Amino acid sequence: MFRLIWAVSVRTRYFLRRYMPTNMLLDAIRTRRGLRWGVPAMVLAIPYLYAASICAQLAEDGGPGWLHLLVMLFVWNALKFAFIGPISLVLLIRVCLREVSCSRRAVDVGAAQ
């Protein structure tokens, strides 16, 4: 039973990482070329929060109950985009420091020969 649950969760995660647009965008931001787009991507949290607000208001005014699921989805996506900005800044700084140290090492090796 545990093996079945594990397999289903792995396949679900694979599907979500591979085919959901927000996850594809976040994966693109986590690449070396995409790290600079982390902070501007934080702006995408605003429309998601606005959509969550609209769906919550519609559900509160007597709309269908499944709108609450959309509210949770929109809030989750907004949180993902809100957190990618600071995370991408930290990753970008770390990559830049690593590139500088590698270039200094290459210059030192070249000067020693």
Side-chain angles (χ1 to χ4, degrees):
M1 183 68 174
F2 182 71
R3 186 181 220 181
L4 176 67
I5 293 171
W6 187 271
V8 169
S9 68
V10 167
R11 291 177 197 270
T12 302
R13 182 185 182 279
Y14 173 75
F15 175 79
L16 293 176
R17 298 289 294 178
R18 180 98 176 156
Y19 296 110
M20 295 298 138
T22 57
N23 291 334
M24 291 171 27
L25 181 59
L26 290 174
D27 286 340
I29 289 173
R30 286 186 198 104
T31 63
R32 172 60 182 101
R33 281 184 43 196
L35 284 175
R36 63 180 175 189
W37 294 103
V39 175
M42 288 176 64
V43 176
L44 290 175
I46 296 169
Y48 276 113
L49 290 175
Y50 184 67
S53 171
I54 289 173
C55 287
Q57 190 63 39
L58 287 174
E60 200 173 283
D61 290 341
W66 56 265
L67 286 174
H68 293 292
L69 292 174
L70 284 180
V71 170
M72 289 188 332
L73 178 71
F74 289 145
V75 169
W76 177 250
N77 285 333
L79 288 173
K80 286 194 296 189
F81 281 113
F83 286 129
I84 194 63
I87 291 170
S88 70
L89 278 179
V90 169
L91 292 175
L92 184 61
I93 290 170
R94 193 171 74 181
V95 167
C96 287
L97 290 175
R98 187 177 303 145
E99 288 173 354
V100 167
S101 69
C102 285
S103 66
R104 284 185 184 166
R105 258 189 251 134
V107 169
D108 291 341
V109 168
Q113 292 177 354

